[in-house]
């Protein structure tokens, strides 16, 4: 009989079950989206996603049961979990745009100005400092490589609880940003202000302008089949790029030899989001809040121990049993004696 000890060592406990419940819920939402025909993902992309997940989970199973290696097993499963969360939330972001809810750009611009932030003025400042732009753009594009790097770093350091916290927080933050953006959609300052590349001739912003045409096509119904090879980030408020930067900052902080390097990198990444990612300032503030709440929630989930509840219940019942047992025994035995 196969022992369950290797399964427990690889983290299939309450935090992992919670994480897979998020993945399952996202999959159900995606399935409903596909059945209703609101948005469909290119079938070849789906096949590749299934194959990649199957390979990763097979490696996890092999290095869990056949040739136990805790770090390789955890790395394989962690990569699959991160991939599925990204794939499903990315797909659902297209559904959020296709719902065609009223746009909030005017409101977000008003909030920015109430905070004293004028997006167009800062774009002119960035345009006059192309070297600063290059640093910000490089940091902005570092998000996806950092996702891979943080899983590798945490597994190498055997910081498995931090890895669980990061992945759960990532799932919560991604779900939250997509859900909120569905109710409060926006295009971006670039589109809202009708800014074209000739308005900032010295730089090329990190965010491609193709995202605006995709959002418009989804909103008017002319785009229903999504090719993920050309996918763009469609979430404006809250900023998922910002939320990711905060989560990466917190996760890398738990690895001493990488702490300060990635702290600096992610501070620059978060700073870059407003202009390089064409976001309102309130998008960045909201993304930061979502990330912090997600990390706090994930940390509590990872720390939660269901066995504590079981022990409390057992202790509570155990204290009452001695009082009830004699009377219960008399009621049970007396008829037989008579």
């Amino acid at each position: 009989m196969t022992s369950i000890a290797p399964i427990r060592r690889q983290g299939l406990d309450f935090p992992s079950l919670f994480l897979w419940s998020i993945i399952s819920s996202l999959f159900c939402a995606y399935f409903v989206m596909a059945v209703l025909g609101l948005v469909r993902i290119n079938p070849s992309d789906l096949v590749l996603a299934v194959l990649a997940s199957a390979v990763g989970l097979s490696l996890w199973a092999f290095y869990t049961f056949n040739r136990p290696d805790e770090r390789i097993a955890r790395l394989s499963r962690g990569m699959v979990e991160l991939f599925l969360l990204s794939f499903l939330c990315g797909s659902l972001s297209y559904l959020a745009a296709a719902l065609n809810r009223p746009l909030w750009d005017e409101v977000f611009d008003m909030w920015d100005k109430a905070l004293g932030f004028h997006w167009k003025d800062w774009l002119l400042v960035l345009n006059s400092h192309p070297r600063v732009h290059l640093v910000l753009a490089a940091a902005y594009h570092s998000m996806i490589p950092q996702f891979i790097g943080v899983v590798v770093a945490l597994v190498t350091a055997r910081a498995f609880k931090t890895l669980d916290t990061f992945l759960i927080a990532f799932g919560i933050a991604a779900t939250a940003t997509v859900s909120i953006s569905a109710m409060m959609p926006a295009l971006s300052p670039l589109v809202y202000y009708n800014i074209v590349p000739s308005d900032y001739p010295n730089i090329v912003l990190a965010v491609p302008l193709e995202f605006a045409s995709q959002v418009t096509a989804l909103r008017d119904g002319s785009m229903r089949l999504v090719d993920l090879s050309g996918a763009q980030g469609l979430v404006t408020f809250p900023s998922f790029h910002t939320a990711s930067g905060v989560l990466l900052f917190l996760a890398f902080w738990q690895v001493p030899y990488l702490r300060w390097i990635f702290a600096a990198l992610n501070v620059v990444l978060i700073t870059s989001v407003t202009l390089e990612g064409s976001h309102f300032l309130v998008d960045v503030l909201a993304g930061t809040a979502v990330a912090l709440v997600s990390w706090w929630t994930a940390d509590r989930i990872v720390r939660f121990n269901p066995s504590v509840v079981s022990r409390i219940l057992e202790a509570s019942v155990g204290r009452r049993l001695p009082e009830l047992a004699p009377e219960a025994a008399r009621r049970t035995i007396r008829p037989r004696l008579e």
Side-chain angles (χ1 to χ4, degrees), residues 28-90:
C28 291
Y30 171 80
F31 181 76
V32 171
M33 174 185 79
V35 169
L36 295 179
L38 298 173
V39 177
R40 293 184 297 110
I41 305 300
N42 191 321
S44 62
D45 291 333
L46 288 176
V47 171
L48 289 175
V50 171
L51 289 176
S53 300
V55 169
L57 291 176
S58 297
L59 286 172
W60 167 77
F62 179 79
Y63 285 104
T64 298
F65 302 108
N66 296 84
R67 188 179 297 172
D69 188 312
E70 188 174 23
R71 286 193 290 187
I72 296 179
R74 194 66 184 90
L75 177 64
S76 302
R77 185 161 61 86
M79 287 298 186
V80 171
E81 291 164 343
L82 182 63
F83 169 74
L84 288 175
L85 288 170
S86 302
F87 177 83
L88 291 170
C89 284

Side-chain angles (χ1 to χ4, degrees), residues 12 43 59 72 85 136 143 174 177 212 253 262 265 280 313 320:
L12 283 185
L59 286 172
I72 296 179
L85 288 170
L136 294 177
M143 183 182 73
T177 54
W253 192 257
F262 284 92
L265 174 58
F280 296 99
L313 291 175
R320 296 178 182 178

Side-chain angles (χ1 to χ4, degrees), residues 87-236:
F87 177 83
L88 291 170
C89 284
S91 301
L92 290 172
S93 70
Y94 279 78
L95 169 63
L99 294 177
N100 198 24
R101 299 273 301 173
L103 295 172
W104 283 62
D105 293 80
E106 184 177 358
V107 176
F108 296 152
D109 179 60
M110 180 180 65
W111 290 352
D112 269 13
K113 289 176 179 176
L115 294 171
F117 184 84
H118 298 269
W119 197 89
K120 291 192 294 183
D121 294 344
W122 281 102
L123 180 62
L124 295 176
V125 172
L126 184 63
N127 184 63
S128 62
H129 295 82
R131 292 184 180 178
V132 175
H133 150 71
L134 292 176
V135 174
L136 294 177
Y140 184 88
H141 287 305
S142 73
M143 183 182 73
I144 293 179
Q146 282 197 75
F147 284 154
I148 298 172
V150 74
V151 176
V152 173
L154 293 173
V155 169
T156 302
R158 294 187 180 276
F160 300 125
K161 287 187 177 181
T162 301
L163 178 59
D164 285 335
T165 303
F166 171 74
L167 290 171
I168 293 173
F170 180 88
I172 295 173
T175 304
T177 54
V178 170
S179 301
I180 296 172
S181 71
M183 298 297 103
M184 304 171 67
L187 294 177
S188 80
L190 276 177
V191 180
Y192 178 70
Y193 290 123
N194 196 28
I195 295 175
V196 295
S198 60
D199 293 326
Y200 47 96
N202 298 329
I203 60 175
V204 177
L205 294 179
V207 61
L209 290 176
E210 287 79 5
F211 81 91
S213 59
Q214 288 193 3
V215 173
T216 302
L218 287 164
R219 290 177 62 83
D220 64 23
S222 60
M223 179 180 180
R224 285 294 178 261
L225 181 64
V226 177
D227 186 351
L228 293 181
S229 62
Q232 304 292 333
L234 306 183
V235 174
T236 298

